[in-house]
């Protein structure tokens, strides 16, 4: 547990942030930045994480309160085992969340992903408080869309593409708010050594460098990035393209090989 779960004593709106992952992906980094920037005179925040990890370390270093609540990931499981895992989360994770909501006097639950909303939304409804579903990607929604649609008071879409994806998936348009991620541009000011990557890979210091950063999962559509690169290299000879990322949870082992094969076949490997 971090530095005191809802330790503040001054009146404020209490928000419980729920993340189903403790890694260092974009969703987790955005969550850490969000809770750090919320004004403390108006909001009292704490975070629920499934396990120790980079996100917990970052919150701890920033003095942000958090608590671990065990959660079983359901991806890449056979149907019966996946159903068993879902039921286990339903009867263990959800009651644990509901208990934290009640004991902490929480007034709003923020789910940091589709999976988090699936269970945090149920806990919030049990406690008769609103929940916000922060949708951050284009992952296909299956049968869970019914529960997500029923449980989310409001849906935050980080881009127009995500908003369109939600609408196509049956989420009411009137419940969706377009809210791009805030970016602190000060972190990207020019610093000594920023050209180290170019030197390491033998790139001209002033070539036009296009980088796609993200997990190597199918719905990130790296294939479209490669098609774009293929169409540009002939007309813009000084441009170079880089894909940076990993399959953080090992859910899509064939994705990297598929992209490498596509790059070679396109002549841009």
């Amino acid at each position: 547990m971090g530095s005191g779960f809802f330790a503040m004593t001054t009146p404020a709106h209490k928000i419980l942030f729920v993340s189903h992952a403790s890694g260092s992906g974009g969703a987790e980094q955005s969550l850490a930045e969000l809770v750090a920037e919320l004004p403390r005179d108006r909001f009292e925040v704490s975070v629920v994480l499934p396990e120790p990890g980079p996100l917990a370390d970052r919150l701890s270093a920033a003095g942000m309160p958090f608590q671990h609540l065990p959660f079983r990931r359901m991806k890449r499981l056979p149907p019966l085992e996946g159903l068993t895992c879902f039921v286990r989360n339903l009867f263990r994770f959800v009651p644990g969340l509901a208990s934290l909501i009640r004991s902490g006097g929480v007034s709003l639950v923020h789910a940091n992903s589709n999976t988090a909303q699936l269970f945090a939304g149920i806990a919030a409804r049990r406690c008769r408080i609103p929940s916000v579903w922060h949708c951050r990607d284009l992952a296909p929604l299956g049968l869970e869309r019914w529960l997500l649609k029923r449980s989310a008071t409001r849906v935050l879409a980080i881009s127009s593409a995500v908003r369109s994806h939600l609408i196509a998936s049956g989420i009411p348009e009137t419940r969706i708010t377009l809210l791009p991620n805030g970016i602190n541009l000060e972190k990207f000011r020019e610093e000594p050594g920023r050209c180290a990557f170019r030197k390491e890979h033998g790139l001209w210091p002033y070539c036009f460098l296009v980088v796609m950063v993200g997990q190597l999962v199918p719905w990130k559509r790296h294939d479209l990035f490669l098609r774009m690169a293929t169409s540009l290299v002939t007309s813009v000879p000084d441009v170079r393209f880089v894909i940076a990322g990993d399959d953080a949870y090992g859910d899509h082992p064939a994705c990297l090989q598929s992209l490498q094969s596509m790059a070679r076949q396109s002549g841009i490997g």
Side-chain angles (χ1 to χ4, degrees):
M1 181 172 174
S3 53
F5 198 70
F6 286 123
M8 292 177 60
T9 58
T10 56
H13 297 288
K14 295 183 177 181
I15 307 176
L16 182 63
F17 291 85
V18 181
S19 176
H20 83 284
S22 300
S24 58
E28 290 76 45
Q29 293 188 43
S30 179
L31 174 61
E33 293 173 358
L34 173 59
V35 298
E37 293 295 334
L38 285 175
R40 292 296 172 264
D41 59 333
R42 296 176 54 198
F43 302 103
E44 183 178 342
V45 305
S46 192
V47 184
V48 167
L49 304 174
E51 59 194 0
L55 178 55
D57 295 340
R58 182 167 177 175
L59 293 172
S60 181
M64 300 300 302
F66 64 90
Q67 180 161 315
H68 294 133
L69 193 61
F71 175 86
R72 285 285 307 277
R73 296 187 75 246
M74 298 177 292
K75 286 189 176 181
R76 294 194 70 201
L77 294 177
L80 182 58
E81 190 176 346
L83 179 60
T84 302
C85 187
F86 174 83
V87 172
R88 184 177 302 174
N89 286 332
L90 194 62
F91 286 95
R92 293 185 182 181
F93 186 70
V94 171
L97 274 180
S99 178
L100 291 177
I101 291 170
R102 295 190 183 102
S103 63
V106 176
S107 53
L108 175 68
V109 170
H110 174 285
N112 200 49
S113 65
N114 303 359
T115 303
Q117 176 63 30
L118 193 60
F119 299 100
I122 296 174
R125 284 176 65 89
R126 286 186 181 180
C127 298
R128 300 179 182 276
I129 65 170
S131 66
V132 172
W133 166 22
H134 210 147
C135 189
R136 299 178 176 277
D137 57 36
L138 300 173
L141 300 179
L143 295 176
E144 71 273 15
R145 76 181 68 186
W146 182 82
L147 280 173
L148 292 170
K149 181 168 64 174
R150 282 180 55 84
S151 65
T153 309
R154 200 71 189 171
V155 187
L156 302 181
I158 65 167
S159 68
S160 297
V162 170
R163 181 177 180 274
S164 299
H165 168 68
L166 289 167
I167 294 172
S169 299
I171 308 301
E173 183 176 357
T174 55
R175 212 181 300 174
I176 303 171
T177 297
L178 177 62
L179 186 66
N181 288 335
I183 304 295
N184 181 3
L185 298 180
E186 291 297 318
K187 296 193 303 183
F188 297 95
R189 287 186 177 274
E190 187 169 347
E191 298 176 358
R194 65 171 297 190
C195 293
F197 178 86
R198 293 172 181 260
K199 293 179 181 178
E200 179 183 350
H201 293 275
L203 300 175
W204 183 49
Y206 301 102
C207 71
F208 198 87
L209 186 61
V210 184
V211 183
M212 179 175 181
V213 182
Q215 290 192 60
L216 295 181
V217 292
W219 58 85
K220 297 292 186 181
R221 297 308 305 268
H222 295 82
D223 58 316
L224 295 182
F225 181 83
L226 288 178
R227 291 177 189 173
M228 176 271 293
T230 303
S231 67
L232 281 180
V233 290
T234 54
S235 57
V236 188
D238 288 335
V239 68
R240 296 294 182 271
F241 300 90
V242 174
I243 291 178
D246 198 0
D247 181 10
Y249 301 103
D251 292 332
H252 302 276
C255 189
L256 175 60
Q257 290 81 0
S258 175
L259 293 173
Q260 290 174 329
S261 175
M262 182 177 177
R264 285 194 299 269
Q265 293 174 8
S266 301
I268 58 171

